[in-house]
Amino acid sequence: MSRVWEVPVRDSTRVRDARVAAEAAAVRAGLDEDRAAEAALVATELATNLLKHADGGLILLDVVDGLPSGDDRIPMVQIVAIDHGPGMRDVRGALRDGYSTTSSLGAGLGTCRRVADDFDLHSTVGRAHRRCRGRAGTPADPAWCRSADLADRSGH
């Protein structure tokens, strides 16, 4: 039976709720302690970004079939952040450590990409749509991170 966690992020108290939901999803998926902590980190970073950059949004979490392992598929935690913010002008820059538009450390999205097995980010400036997706299940493949299409999709 599938369980989807839906966390509306409208204020800072909901960042904790996103982290707790990620921890619950990790338990349901059977992730080890390290991978569960990474899922919680991704949920926390994405929820924090929703508040900082988009005046809130929605975090959705689910346990999905992941990578094949023999005859089975390894369960993974899928985390999706959706907002109706202004969009990102520099997607490629936002994924680089140290890049920040709010005087923060600027490591959040880069961290999410590094710890996720699958990561996608879409942003369109002026169309008020942004989606980030990351899954945590098995150790990330560094080759995928290097070869992933990370082009600036904002049109700028």
Side-chain angles (χ1 to χ4, degrees):
M1 181 164 115
S2 181
R3 164 81 161 85
V4 176
W5 291 261
E6 184 175 319
V7 183
V9 180
R10 297 286 178 232
D11 60 60
S12 62
T13 63
R14 299 311 302 260
V15 172
R16 177 192 175 280
D17 296 341
R19 180 181 54 78
V20 169
E23 291 166 345
V27 167
R28 177 164 263 187
L31 302 186
D32 67 28
E33 189 175 315
D34 289 339
R35 294 302 285 173
E38 289 172 347
L41 174 64
V42 168
T44 300
E45 289 293 340
L46 293 178
T48 300
N49 281 354
L50 289 175
L51 290 174
K52 279 185 190 176
H53 304 289
D55 199 26
L58 181 67
I59 298 284
L60 298 170
L61 302 100
D62 194 8
V63 177
V64 298
D65 287 338
L67 303 172
S69 176
D71 293 334
D72 297 322
R73 295 187 78 75
I74 300 169
M76 301 174 91
V77 174
Q78 178 173 258
I79 305 168
V80 179
I82 303 167
D83 69 65
H84 296 285
M88 295 179 187
R89 291 205 172 277
D90 184 1
V91 172
R92 190 178 293 271
L95 291 168
R96 277 193 317 265
D97 287 342
Y99 178 90
S100 175
T101 59
T102 62
S103 301
S104 68
L105 292 175
L109 288 178
T111 297
C112 292
R113 184 180 71 173
R114 280 190 297 280
V115 303
D117 295 293
D118 182 20
F119 180 89
D120 180 42
L121 183 140
H122 177 76
S123 181
T124 304
V125 174
R127 289 192 48 204
H129 172 78
R130 179 172 59 196
R131 179 176 57 97
C132 304
R133 181 171 50 96
R135 293 190 240 189
T138 58
D141 176 4
W144 182 89
C145 292
R146 284 192 300 273
S147 65
D149 174 17
L150 299 175
D152 181 353
R153 299 177 190 165
S154 68
H156 296 277

